[in-house]
Amino acid sequence: MTSRWASLRAGLEEFYAGPYRRTLARARREEDDLFRMVVLAEALGVPDPAAYYTVELMPALYEDFHAWHRRMGMDRSPLEHVGCC
C-alpha cells in the first residue's frame, strides 16, 4: 500500500512540477546567488552591518564557490583567501 502512495505522489509531483522544473531551478539558483552575495558582501568590499553573523555561514558556501564566481563572469576567485582556481 505504501508503494502505491509513493507512486501516486511521484506521479502528481511530476504532473504539477514537471513543466516548471526549469523555471523553478532558475529561481532557486537566483535565490542562492543572492544569499551568497549577502554572505560574501564584507569579503567583496561591500560594507555589511550583519557581517558578524554571516561570517559563520562562509564555510557552507565554499563548496559551490568556484561555480558561482564562474557563473558571475569572474575568471578568478575575487577573494584573496579562497584559492579555488
Side-chain angles (χ1 to χ4, degrees):
M1 186 71 170
T2 306
S3 67
R4 290 181 126 192
W5 284 111
S7 176
L8 177 64
R9 182 179 176 191
L12 287 173
E13 185 173 327
E14 181 63 27
F15 177 76
Y16 286 110
Y20 307 106
R21 185 171 291 130
R22 191 174 187 173
T23 303
L24 294 173
R26 184 181 320 134
R28 180 178 175 97
R29 189 178 63 218
E30 289 175 0
E31 286 180 8
D32 289 346
D33 287 346
L34 178 63
F35 177 72
R36 189 167 283 117
M37 282 293 294
V38 168
V39 171
L40 296 174
E42 188 74 21
L44 295 172
V46 178
D48 182 13
Y52 179 76
Y53 302 105
T54 58
V55 74
E56 294 179 7
L57 300 171
M58 288 182 74
L61 300 178
Y62 286 148
E63 185 176 314
D64 298 329
F65 182 75
H66 179 72
W68 173 76
H69 79 75
R70 298 287 291 184
R71 191 170 51 247
M72 293 295 124
M74 296 178 258
D75 293 334
R76 304 187 62 91
S77 171
L79 304 177
E80 294 177 7
H81 62 281
V82 179
C84 61
C85 44

